[in-house]
Amino acid sequence: MARNAWRSDTEAWRELAPTWGIALPDNTAEPCTLAARAQWQCFRTTAATLPLVRQLDRPGFITLRDGSGRPAYALLLALGPRSATLRIGRDTLDVTLLSLTELWAGDFATYWRTPEGYSGILKLGARGPAVDGLAAQLASVRGDAAPTVPVLYDNIMAVRVAAFQSAQGLAADGRAGPTTLMQLARATGSAQREPRL
């Protein structure tokens, strides 16, 4: 592991921000709070797999464990069929996927742009601009006309969300959280200006 590896996720969030075009002060202690002011949220999971990261197709950072078990953070810049490109501190290196999985337990973090009005997972009973946007995106993916009136997140929408999730290889729970919304943005082309792995 590189000697100059980042040892805090705050450093990793700051280092990742320019990849996403997010301008943060060099020494900010609250990168996620500052990013949220520009409608970016920090997404983190401790249960990622390489197939999920490949599917999300977004630069992020992963938590590696060195020989002593201490965490070190690496930017994941590219993910090929047999290798990944990481930046650890000032060093950029290619590692085999097998080597990567020996040091990585599934922590993955990235930025994502939240839909207008989004304040948490969308589920049954929800209303508002984020639900209206979700309905429009689902209609686009299905080849239907977008709704012209405000929408309630009802059982029909939950079934449509679950169908989209299933088609994307996501857990089909019928609730629209960050991974579902990230994939919808990719599927509808609204994430065209976002960086990719």
Side-chain angles (χ1 to χ4, degrees):
M1 193 104 34
R3 273 186 228 148
N4 55 3
W6 304 298
R7 294 294 177 176
S8 79
D9 64 347
T10 299
E11 290 176 290
W13 285 116
R14 282 196 308 251
E15 291 295 324
L16 180 61
T19 305
W20 286 91
I22 301 169
L24 296 175
D26 287 341
N27 292 316
T28 182
E30 299 291 337
C32 293
T33 301
L34 291 178
R37 293 181 187 156
Q39 209 172 349
W40 290 97
Q41 286 219 359
C42 292
F43 168 76
R44 168 173 267 153
T45 179
T46 59
T49 61
L50 284 176
L52 175 63
V53 172
R54 190 180 305 282
Q55 186 176 8
L56 291 176
D57 195 21
R58 331 168 57 79
F61 67 86
I62 58 177
T63 308
L64 305 175
R65 300 286 170 186
D66 63 16
S68 67
R70 293 185 335 159
Y73 299 90
L75 296 191
L76 178 62
L77 303 176
L79 189 58
R82 293 186 187 93
S83 65
T85 302
L86 304 176
R87 183 158 66 89
I88 302 174
R90 289 183 231 95
D91 303 325
T92 300
L93 58 145
D94 290 322
V95 297
T96 67
L97 298 184
L98 184 57
S99 297
L100 177 63
T101 56
E102 289 173 359
L103 298 171
W104 177 60
D107 291 17
F108 176 74
T110 190
Y111 289 104
W112 71 292
R113 187 169 292 282
T114 56
E116 179 187 348
Y118 180 85
S119 61
I121 294 173
L122 303 175
K123 55 190 175 188
L124 287 174
R127 298 178 181 271
V131 175
D132 296 340
L134 172 63
Q137 286 182 307
L138 287 169
S140 173
V141 169
R142 294 167 49 89
D144 297 339
T148 56
V149 295
V151 176
L152 170 68
Y153 201 118
D154 58 9
N155 286 325
I156 293 170
M157 180 169 289
V159 167
R160 289 180 177 163
V161 168
F164 174 80
Q165 291 168 325
S166 182
Q168 294 290 310
L170 302 173
D173 63 6
R175 299 165 17 129
T179 54
T180 300
L181 295 170
M182 285 183 229
Q183 289 304 94
L184 261 173
R186 288 272 192 240
T188 59
S190 60
Q192 285 179 347
R193 288 173 287 221
E194 291 183 353
R196 301 182 88 143
L197 283 176

